[in-house]
């Protein structure tokens, strides 16, 4: 392990063989300068663009080799669920094991055991794995993660590219840069005194509950806590299992040690109740509906006396986005923005345009244009 080792080179990825032997003697928060970050370029899938053919071929390969198997490591559960293509319900894309109580208990135990080694790694070691994961998405597995999002969540190519590839990559790289900045924020010291802030991972495990609509959010909710030294029990949405399992496989390829991330598909009520009953539950990382978030928060409150620490609760729920138009707005451009903002991906985004404030002076022309454009929208496959 040398300071010149680059995360892009697989031979430097010593975390694939575990973390024993590479514990930092320099403390939890020692950090060196990480690479500068720029946003991942977006593929346009132009007619002469090689990415156009590559994603078409990847989609065909995944469809033709289905149903795929999604398994829980070391599970004996016989209960199975099915992943169907949302725009073609007759096509079974994958079959997955549904976690039983033993699987949930084992995942918690694995997270706690893995924590003993993961928590003592230097920031650079954890960051290297996250950056390797981003690099694998950017290069080797870009079309795989995009195609699995197209088939499993019914996004078009461009939506998948922006989400599953680019946003995932940006989350990982910017998270590492921001984490470095956090660690470097230290208090002032007076003469003869050295004040120092030490950022410690949570004392337990984090429960990540991820949504169906963004592959990138699933990656971020899991790996942001991991970057900061935590271990995670991951409950993916039933409606994004295919792409999320691909993410999990890429995480392992990047060098995430066994037990640091525990992929746990199954009944959300059963899994959540069992997880929140553990005295070692230390944090929730959630994106989903308001109702479910409030229900989970209530369960945490009811269990508060049994926890070893006070759990941190971080969640994002659905919101209402709006468009505010000026009377000087270009009507054609405004109509396009409203249609795409409201109905792209069937409006299944917290950022989807739910309401608009339009000046009366341009409303007649805009209304005519909106109706014309709405009538051309295609629903279904």
């Amino acid at each position: 392990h040398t300071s010149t080792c680059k995360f892009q080179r697989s031979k430097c990825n010593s975390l694939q063989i575990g973390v024993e032997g590479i514990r930092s003697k320099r403390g939890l928060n020692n950090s060196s300068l990480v690479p500068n970050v720029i946003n991942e370029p977006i593929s346009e899938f132009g007619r002469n663009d090689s990415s156009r053919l590559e994603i078409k071929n990847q989609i065909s390969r995944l469809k033709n080799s289905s149903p795929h198997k999604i398994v829980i490591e070391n599970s004996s559960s016989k209960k199975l669920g099915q992943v169907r293509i949302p725009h073609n319900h007759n096509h079974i894309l994958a079959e997955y094991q549904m976690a039983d109580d033993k699987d949930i208990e084992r995942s918690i135990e694995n997270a706690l055991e893995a924590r003993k080694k993961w928590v003592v790694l230097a920031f650079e070691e954890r960051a290297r794995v996250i950056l390797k994961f981003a690099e694998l998405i950017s290069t080797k597995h870009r079309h795989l993660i995009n195609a699995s999002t197209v088939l499993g969540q019914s996004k078009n190519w461009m939506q998948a590219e922006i989400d599953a590839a680019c946003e995932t990559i940006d989350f990982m790289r910017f998270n590492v840069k921001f984490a470095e900045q956090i660690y470097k924020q230290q208090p002032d010291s007076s003469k003869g005194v050295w004040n120092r802030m030490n950022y410690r991972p949570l004392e337990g495990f984090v429960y990540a509950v991820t949504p169906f609509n963004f592959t990138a959010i699933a990656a971020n909710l899991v790996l942001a806590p991991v970057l900061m030294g935590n271990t995670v029990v991951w409950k993916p949405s039933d409606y994004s299992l295919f792409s999320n399992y691909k993410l999990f496989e890429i995480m392992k390829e990047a060098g995430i040690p066994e037990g640091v991330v525990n992929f746990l598909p199954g009944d959300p009520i059963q899994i959540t109740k069992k997880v929140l009953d553990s005295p070692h539950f230390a944090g929730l990382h959630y994106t989903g509906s308001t109702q479910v978030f409030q229900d989970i928060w209530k369960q945490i409150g009811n269990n508060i006396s049994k926890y070893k620490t006070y759990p941190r609760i971080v969640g994002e729920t659905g919101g209402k986005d709006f468009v505010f138009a000026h009377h000087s707005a270009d009507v054609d451009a405004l109509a396009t923005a409203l249609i795409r903002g409201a109905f792209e991906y069937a409006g299944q985004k917290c950022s989807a345009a739910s309401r608009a404030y339009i000046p009366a002076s341009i409303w007649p022309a805009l209304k005519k244009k909106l109706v014309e454009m709405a009538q051309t929208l295609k629903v279904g496959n």
Side-chain angles (χ1 to χ4, degrees), residues 22-39:
I22 58 174
R23 298 184 183 185
S24 171
K25 296 179 180 179
R26 297 165 291 177
L28 289 172
N29 296 333
N30 180 71
S31 61
S32 58
L33 218 58
V34 301
N36 288 326
V37 183
I38 59 172
N39 291 104

Side-chain angles (χ1 to χ4, degrees), residues 154-358:
S154 286
K155 293 198 171 186
N156 63 37
W157 296 357
M158 183 57 68
Q159 291 164 353
E161 166 72 5
I162 293 170
D163 164 26
C166 296
E167 190 172 358
T168 299
I169 296 162
D170 287 350
F171 267 138
M172 299 303 113
R173 292 173 177 166
F174 279 94
N175 281 355
V176 168
K177 196 65 178 177
F178 293 150
E180 180 188 53
Q181 293 173 6
I182 289 172
Y183 286 145
K184 287 184 175 180
Q185 291 176 0
Q186 294 293 327
D188 292 334
S189 298
S190 57
K191 186 177 180 179
V193 176
W194 182 9
N195 295 321
R196 186 171 184 268
M197 178 78 76
N198 190 43
Y199 294 87
R200 299 167 56 243
L202 301 181
E203 296 182 2
F205 67 90
V206 172
Y207 182 38
V209 181
T210 61
F212 80 94
N213 56 345
F214 280 96
T215 304
I217 293 178
N220 186 52
L221 292 185
V222 173
L223 291 183
V226 166
L227 172 63
M228 304 307 285
N230 299 283
T231 56
V232 174
V233 175
W234 177 12
K235 168 63 184 75
S237 167
D238 294 347
Y239 303 104
S240 59
L241 273 178
F242 191 57
S243 66
N244 286 189
Y245 191 63
K246 297 301 181 187
L247 287 176
F248 179 58
E249 292 181 319
I250 299 170
M251 289 176 192
K252 291 190 290 184
E253 183 179 345
I256 295 291
E258 183 178 351
V260 171
V261 175
N262 300 272
F263 188 80
L264 204 60
D267 180 80
I269 296 176
Q270 176 189 8
I271 294 174
T272 298
K273 185 179 185 305
K274 192 76 173 175
V275 166
L276 299 184
D277 277 343
S278 170
H280 300 284
F281 168 69
L284 172 70
H285 214 190
Y286 172 95
T287 292
S289 72
T290 300
Q291 181 178 349
V292 172
F293 185 53
Q294 290 177 347
D295 183 64
I296 293 176
W297 200 328
K298 288 178 183 177
Q299 291 184 61
I300 294 171
N302 290 335
N303 292 340
I304 199 68
S305 61
K306 69 171 61 174
Y307 298 134
K308 293 182 177 293
T309 63
Y310 290 107
R312 273 64 164 181
I313 303 173
V314 179
E316 177 196 2
T317 61
K320 291 292 182 181
D321 199 5
F322 68 89
V323 176
F324 190 95
H326 191 262
H327 65 80
S328 64
D330 181 289
V331 171
D332 289 342
L334 178 58
T336 299
L338 287 170
I339 290 291
R340 293 190 64 178
F343 301 118
E344 188 175 78
Y345 194 44
Q348 298 177 116
K349 297 187 272 187
C350 58
S351 58
S354 301
R355 56 183 66 135
Y357 300 89
I358 310 297

Side-chain angles (χ1 to χ4, degrees), residues 93-106:
L93 185 60
E95 293 180 338
Y96 64 94
Q97 278 184 301
M98 299 182 68
D100 57 24
D101 284 348
K102 291 182 179 179
D103 295 322
I104 303 168
E105 292 169 0
R106 188 186 311 109

